[in-house]
Amino acid sequence: MSILLRIHQWFSFLGSFASFGVAYFLQSIVVLVFVALSFIALIYIFRKYMARIQRRIGPNRVGKFGLLQLIADALKLVGKESILPEGRDDMAYKIAPVIVMIATILAFVLLPFGDLAYFGSLAVTHSKVTLVLMFGILSIIPIGEILGGISTKSNYALLGTMRAVAKDISFEIPMMISVLAIVIVSSRSYVTGDAITGGLSLSGIVSNEVIPYGIIEPLGLLVFFISMVARASYSPFDLGESDSELISGYTTEYSGMRFGFFYIGLFGMVYLSSFLISVLYLGGANGPYDNYVGFIYLMIKTIILVLISFLIWVAIPRIRIDKFVNLGWKYLLPLSMANLVYAGLFVLYIR
Amino acid sequence: MSHWIELNIGPVHPSTHGIYRFRVKLNEETVEDVDITIGYLHRNAEKICELNYFVNNTIYFDRMDYIDAMNMELGYLRAVEALTDMEVPERAQWIRMIMAELSRIAARMVGIGALGLDVGMLTPFFHTFHEREKIQKIFVEASGGRQEVNYMSIGGVYQDFNDKIIEEIREFISEFKGKLEEIVKMFTDSEIFWQRNVGTGILEPDIALDYGVTGPMLRASGIPYDVRKDSPYLFYDKVNFDVPIARTKDNMGRFLVKAEELRQSIRIIEQCLAKLPDGPYFNPKTKKSAMLLLKGQGDVFTRVESESGEFGVFIRGDGGVKPYRVHARSPSFKNLAVVPIMAKGSLIADLIITIASVDAVAGEVDR
Amino acid sequence: MVATVKEIKMPKKPVPVVGSLKLMYSMGKYMFKKPVTTQYPEDKGEIPERFRFRIFLVPEACVGCTLCSKICPNHSIKMEHWDLDRSGLENNVVQTARGDRKNLQNKRNIYPDVNFGTCTVCRQCEEICPTDAIYLTHQFENARTRNSFTYSPQELTMQEEDVIK
């Protein structure tokens, strides 16, 4: 019995529709609060981790071990004056960070979080097309970035946006093709060879994924991982906000909490991409002892991926934009195509 | 017909290390023209030097190339000593040599770390700065100052080396050998660093000679010119070292030349420590109020090899206790002038790396 | 000529991906090493013997020769009038940093006045002082506002806590 049904039962005196509504609402809140808390922990881990790699100590003044540092930073961002650039496109300027923020939050609601002992399934969304929804939302985020870039009337932001668009176009096609390969592979159970449904929803993919798809199609994992690094835009592929050339790219003219939203979007994408990779390629909530602890398996996989991402972030230099476009079209696209053909042949084989 | 936008890099920008301004004419990502504006850190050092006694000006030279203070001092003091016919005891000269090479290592550490930041890798910067910190500890131990050391004085050095300092230098050198290879590996192991450095920012040797470019930039273009080799000062003719050159003419060549020079600096320091003689560390003519009474007449021009190239100092004395004219030939100023030529037609990302590979220090450019 | 020319050999070009993994390993291993930064107010570290900062004055030893104000490269030292009572000294002996001095007089009654805002701690005043009246110490924790960075001769004899009062 999932957590949703439990809440529904408690509120059953309201009637069927109303109690389901309340249950969805409450569960979304619970998941979002969990995500927000773990997200704060994530930024704290990032700062400590980066500091240790760079032989520093990291935040240690606010609270014990600097645990309250992020809250202090958030208060600072909220309290700062929001400087509005002259000659801006006012509405686009103001809604851009909100689009990034909301899209990031929405994406977390769609994730299948797996089972946890008493609570049962933690997944909020039970739609059959969460995969499609998820990548729909992921493609909303660039719109916010582009709006933010071109509305500020700054040359740095303009260049940053141009790069971000070039980057997005060149990696999103390989990303979608490698996701397509997942859908093909999960259309048939490789245990029995029967056709199965649920290939378009994330939870359906997870339930079919007895052997992680990363083992079946490592090429797809590579392409998807690189695409996700590019989507989250951290160090090797942070072309939109390459701080040594373009100061801060499309966020150059933002300050205060509006900048904070972009910042949350950046770290949220790191977190979300780690979730997505572990769901799609590493078996998600599946593990040796099934049921009951699936959520913990998912979190372990995600945190390991997050740590790897952060190590990439601090260690690897930034790639140049023309080289990245080359990489996207000349290497990632053929690789993902080959992966797609391979996935088709694999499905034919197991049938 | 081309559409271009003007991008204003600087005076305050993450990748202009110091304050100068590049007005870049961009065609999409391609650099069409670069216009350099300098003068934001102009402190009138040359004119102030005319108002002061000879002894006072050392700290003004400290503040020119503030990351390589010892070599700046050395350049000025060599000119003053030539003007006033001051003899420097042998021990003081060896000490000066050790300090000059240590300072060169410290300055290179900043340059290489900043190059890492500009390429987009954050971590090497902290490692190089930790090494620089060790050198600065040695400087504090010897002179009492970290950045504006004011260690060398006319006719000698401020205070003698004691056993503790020599021990610290030995310890640093033995640790640094391995650490340097590790830091260099951090750069050369990365294929993205290769992509961005090989073949970018090409400086042809004839253009370099036309513009008066010196230092690692000239050597990376294939011309083996080093003041330490071509007109040896101090005891550089008594130690063995190599002058590295590269024929690639690009940013990678410059980086590798700098890395190789660090290894040669270690070699020089080791030989200096072995040859360090006993004796006085200053010329007794320059103690107490005699410092104010130094007089000189005539013109002198001396040069030393600083971290960014040939640093020359011209002094004209009119027989008084203050110099009549002081002029510094600063290498960064000359090296910065070729940036527009090197960057023309490249991408803006390459322009940033080219600027970083010049290692220009604003204090020295503007004086 | 001992210096020889050496042409640089290009190092081996890294293999894609493998080079990056090596890079990640070489940086990631510092995760398990101790950080090297020090925490300043708690851990002040060791101050080297020759480190100098705050200027102090032994007023009884000052003879008002103005050499310090002449040699100061930044013109931070000015001479100021101060009527100091020197009658309390036993046998006219003054203790300075480098031994005792006898029979010192300051006929013009002028003493140095230091503007710390422009001082670069070049130590030349200490070096040139004929009677060792000016000396520099290890104290470096003095924060003043920009309008009150000038130390009068009286303040140069006091400790930092007394000056702030």
Side-chain angles (χ1 to χ4, degrees):
Chain A
M1 187 181 269
S2 76
I3 185 168
L4 186 73
L5 290 178
R6 282 184 205 279
I7 301 173
H8 168 60
Q9 272 183 356
W10 295 336
F11 289 97
S12 54
F13 60 89
L14 291 172
S16 179
F17 278 116
S19 62
F20 259 123
V22 170
Y24 269 118
F25 182 71
L26 281 179
Q27 202 196 351
S28 308
I29 299 258
V30 168
V31 165
L32 288 181
V33 165
F34 161 74
V35 166
L37 284 179
S38 57
F39 178 74
I40 288 172
L42 177 89
I43 299 182
Y44 173 75
I45 288 170
F46 170 65
R47 293 174 72 166
K48 274 284 191 198
Y49 185 68
M50 184 168 159
R52 291 306 293 270
I53 288 173
Q54 295 168 350
R55 314 183 76 180
R56 296 182 283 122
I57 294 173
N60 69 342
R61 292 284 153 155
V62 189
K64 191 84 177 159
F65 306 120
L67 282 170
L68 302 178
Q69 180 67 46
L70 268 177
I71 295 168
D73 283 356
L75 283 178
K76 184 202 80 177
L77 278 181
V78 172
K80 265 183 137 177
E81 183 196 356
S82 223
I83 300 163
L84 304 171
E86 218 167 84
R88 67 189 182 277
D89 186 341
D90 195 60
M91 198 176 91
Y93 178 82
K94 281 178 180 163
I95 63 169
V98 180
I99 290 175
V100 172
M101 175 80 176
I102 288 180
T104 313
I105 291 173
L106 268 182
F108 279 103
V109 179
L110 298 175
L111 285 171
F113 284 103
D115 303 338
L116 186 64
Y118 167 78
F119 297 103
S121 168
L122 296 179
V124 187
T125 316
H126 297 265
S127 162
K128 288 201 174 75
V129 287
T130 37
L131 189 73
V132 181
L133 279 177
M134 174 63 83
F135 287 94
I137 285 170
L138 283 193
S139 51
I140 288 176
I141 297 176
I143 293 175
E145 290 168 355
I146 292 164
L147 277 185
I150 58 177
S151 65
T152 47
K153 218 179 177 186
S154 149
N155 283 348
Y156 286 117
L158 183 66
L159 277 172
T161 316
M162 269 155 48
R163 283 186 186 188
V165 172
K167 179 193 77 177
D168 287 343
I169 292 171
S170 49
F171 80 82
E172 278 206 1
I173 294 168
M175 176 177 86
M176 291 317 294
I177 290 176
S178 55
V179 171
L180 209 57
I182 290 277
V183 177
I184 291 176
V185 169
S186 70
S187 68
R188 249 167 219 289
S189 158
Y190 40 70
V191 184
T192 58
D194 298 333
I196 42 174
T197 53
L200 278 182
S201 77
L202 289 170
S203 45
I205 288 173
V206 171
S207 62
N208 297 344
E209 203 172 1
V210 184
I211 302 171
Y213 290 152
I215 295 171
I216 296 173
E217 42 183 52
L219 215 54
L221 175 62
L222 182 73
V223 172
F224 193 75
F225 190 84
I226 292 173
S227 308
M228 273 296 149
V229 174
R231 174 64 273 155
S233 67
Y234 53 86
S235 185
F237 306 135
D238 57 347
L239 299 157
E241 57 212 20
S242 44
D243 53 353
S244 63
E245 295 120 67
L246 303 178
I247 301 181
S248 168
Y250 46 79
T251 56
T252 305
E253 298 291 337
Y254 281 92
S255 56
M257 205 52 218
R258 289 205 178 87
F259 173 74
F261 283 170
F262 279 115
Y263 191 72
I264 289 170
L266 169 66
F267 275 92
M269 266 318 295
V270 177
Y271 197 26
L272 182 67
S273 61
S274 304
F275 263 125
L276 268 180
I277 294 166
S278 52
V279 163
L280 291 180
Y281 284 95
L282 301 181
N286 295 326
Y289 300 98
D290 231 342
N291 289 325
Y292 307 126
V293 284
F295 177 68
I296 291 167
Y297 286 131
L298 181 66
M299 285 313 287
I300 289 171
K301 285 167 189 170
T302 305
I303 285 167
I304 289 172
L305 278 173
V306 163
L307 291 183
I308 292 173
S309 310
F310 286 161
L311 189 55
I312 292 172
W313 190 340
V314 295
I316 297 183
R318 181 179 310 114
I319 198 167
R320 212 168 61 193
I321 179 69
D322 57 333
K323 302 277 183 196
F324 179 76
V325 176
N326 265 352
L327 176 78
W329 292 106
K330 288 191 185 158
Y331 298 96
L332 290 189
L333 187 65
L335 277 182
S336 60
M337 287 291 193
N339 184 46
L340 189 68
V341 173
Y342 163 77
L345 291 176
F346 180 79
V347 171
L348 278 180
Y349 170 73
I350 58 174
R351 194 176 69 173
Chain B
M1 202 177 99
S2 64
H3 302 274
W4 53 267
I5 57 174
E6 192 178 280
L7 197 68
N8 189 24
I9 299 182
V12 183
H13 184 278
S15 65
T16 59
H17 308 286
I19 4 180
Y20 30 82
R21 177 172 157 210
F22 298 89
R23 276 161 61 212
V24 187
K25 212 188 245 188
L26 281 180
N27 181 2
E28 283 159 16
E29 289 263 336
T30 316
V31 176
E32 290 205 332
D33 197 11
V34 183
D35 184 15
I36 306 178
T37 311
I38 58 169
Y40 293 92
L41 205 57
H42 181 60
R43 290 168 299 190
N44 231 339
E46 288 172 359
K47 184 69 190 170
I48 292 174
C49 287
E50 292 168 18
L51 309 175
N52 280 345
Y53 298 96
F54 282 111
V55 278
N56 290 353
N57 293 338
T58 331
I59 63 158
Y60 287 99
F61 277 81
D62 269 358
R63 275 183 263 178
M64 280 186 185
D65 193 345
Y66 38 78
I67 57 173
D68 187 17
M70 289 284 185
N71 276 312
M72 296 287 118
E73 279 178 11
L74 186 60
Y76 172 70
L77 291 177
R78 283 194 69 227
V80 174
E81 279 154 10
L83 186 72
T84 57
D85 290 331
M86 185 69 62
E87 280 183 11
V88 186
E90 209 167 297
R91 182 177 171 85
Q93 296 211 31
W94 285 105
I95 291 177
R96 282 182 178 187
M97 224 161 123
I98 295 172
M99 283 313 209
E101 292 305 317
L102 277 178
S103 173
R104 196 187 314 279
I105 294 175
R108 283 275 185 281
M109 285 288 105
V110 177
I112 290 178
L115 176 65
L117 277 188
D118 282 350
V119 179
M121 57 209 306
L122 301 170
T123 312
F125 184 75
F126 293 88
H127 290 264
T128 56
F129 256 66
H130 181 53
E131 299 306 308
R132 180 181 161 82
E133 182 63 34
K134 286 181 193 162
I135 297 174
Q136 281 182 327
K137 270 191 185 140
I138 295 169
F139 284 175
V140 178
E141 200 70 59
S143 73
R146 279 167 61 87
Q147 191 125 346
E148 285 170 21
V149 282
N150 198 21
Y151 180 61
M152 300 170 192
S153 58
I154 299 173
V157 290
Y158 162 66
Q159 271 183 4
D160 200 4
F161 268 13
N162 52 27
D163 293 342
K164 196 182 171 195
I165 296 168
I166 293 175
E167 194 50 46
E168 269 185 25
I169 293 175
R170 285 225 166 88
E171 200 179 308
F172 168 76
I173 290 297
S174 61
E175 275 177 24
F176 184 68
K177 270 183 194 165
K179 189 72 194 172
L180 174 66
E181 297 309 317
E182 196 189 331
I183 289 172
V184 172
K185 269 254 174 329
M186 278 183 191
F187 289 92
T188 53
D189 263 355
S190 163
E191 69 269 17
I192 297 176
F193 184 80
W194 273 71
Q195 269 181 11
R196 295 195 60 180
N197 280 269
V198 174
T200 60
I202 288 184
L203 177 64
E204 295 296 336
D206 48 341
I207 292 174
L209 286 175
D210 285 354
Y211 276 73
V213 170
T214 46
M217 286 180 72
L218 186 64
R219 291 195 281 276
S221 291
I223 299 172
Y225 175 74
D226 189 325
V227 182
R228 293 177 294 175
K229 167 175 154 284
D230 290 332
S231 61
Y233 54 99
L234 296 179
F235 290 127
Y236 279 113
D237 49 350
K238 291 187 183 170
V239 292
N240 293 314
F241 65 97
D242 299 338
V243 176
I245 61 163
R247 303 223 182 262
T248 52
K249 302 181 271 189
D250 56 2
N251 289 330
M252 193 70 183
R254 259 164 251 151
F255 171 76
L256 291 172
V257 163
K258 284 174 194 169
E260 183 59 35
E261 272 180 27
L262 287 173
R263 291 179 199 124
Q264 301 305 330
S265 288
I266 294 171
R267 256 178 89 188
I268 293 173
I269 295 172
E270 276 175 343
Q271 293 174 47
C272 288
L273 284 174
K275 288 184 180 176
L276 189 65
D278 285 334
Y281 63 93
F282 70 98
N283 193 330
K285 280 187 203 162
T286 59
K287 267 289 155 180
K288 292 285 176 185
S289 53
M291 286 196 281
L292 292 175
L293 298 174
L294 289 169
K295 283 177 190 145
Q297 190 156 23
D299 294 353
V300 288
F301 179 76
T302 57
R303 48 207 185 134
V304 295
E305 180 77 18
S306 88
E307 54 111 10
S308 45
E310 176 186 321
F311 179 70
V313 178
F314 168 82
I315 299 182
R316 168 173 286 179
D318 58 353
V321 291
K322 294 176 180 178
Y324 179 76
R325 173 85 173 99
V326 177
H327 173 73
R329 181 228 185 264
S330 62
S332 294
F333 177 68
K334 261 89 176 168
N335 292 358
L336 198 62
V338 289
V339 166
I341 295 169
M342 290 197 292
K344 204 163 198 174
S346 67
L347 296 181
I348 177 142
D350 294 337
L351 167 70
I352 301 295
I353 297 179
T354 308
I355 294 169
S357 77
V358 171
D359 261 1
V361 178
E364 195 192 355
V365 173
D366 295 339
R367 300 193 289 283
Chain C
M1 191 62 68
V2 248
T4 49
V5 176
K6 177 186 177 188
E7 195 169 332
I8 296 259
K9 271 188 295 183
M10 286 296 258
K12 252 203 309 200
K13 197 171 183 213
V15 188
V17 183
V18 178
S20 291
L21 288 178
K22 265 160 90 181
L23 198 69
M24 279 158 68
Y25 168 73
S26 67
M27 290 179 192
K29 72 181 178 204
Y30 281 94
M31 178 74 202
F32 306 104
K33 295 190 180 169
K34 272 188 96 169
V36 290
T37 45
T38 49
Q39 296 291 298
Y40 165 61
E42 292 94 30
D43 175 16
K44 293 204 172 141
E46 167 197 7
I47 299 174
E49 192 203 327
R50 291 180 192 170
F51 177 80
R52 293 282 184 274
F53 193 71
R54 164 87 203 272
I55 295 179
F56 276 89
L57 177 70
V58 183
E60 289 86 1
C62 182
V63 291
C65 63
T66 70
L67 274 177
C68 50
S69 74
K70 267 192 186 136
I71 203 162
C72 183
N74 313 303
H75 307 284
S76 304
I77 300 181
K78 287 194 191 85
M79 304 308 284
E80 208 175 65
H81 186 265
W82 179 26
D83 291 316
L84 177 71
D85 186 21
R86 292 182 176 234
S87 58
L89 295 172
E90 281 178 36
N91 306 329
N92 276 347
V93 175
V94 187
Q95 288 177 343
T96 62
R98 291 179 205 159
D100 294 352
R101 299 263 177 180
K102 249 184 175 178
N103 294 328
L104 296 174
Q105 289 182 334
N106 191 342
K107 286 185 178 163
R108 286 185 285 174
N109 276 337
I110 49 174
Y111 295 89
D113 160 290
V114 179
N115 180 1
F116 249 91
T118 55
C119 174
T120 53
V121 209
C122 65
R123 309 169 299 269
Q124 278 175 352
C125 47
E126 185 189 33
E127 212 165 311
I128 203 169
C129 186
T131 58
D132 300 322
I134 274 194
Y135 63 101
L136 278 73
T137 58
H138 283 184
Q139 287 185 20
F140 60 94
E141 288 170 322
N142 52 348
R144 308 280 292 267
T145 58
R146 121 177 37 164
N147 300 326
S148 65
F149 231 125
T150 311
Y151 286 69
S152 68
Q154 293 98 314
E155 284 172 335
L156 282 177
T157 65
M158 289 188 246
Q159 290 296 320
E160 196 58 35
E161 300 85 45
D162 304 325
V163 176
I164 289 166
K165 278 172 201 166

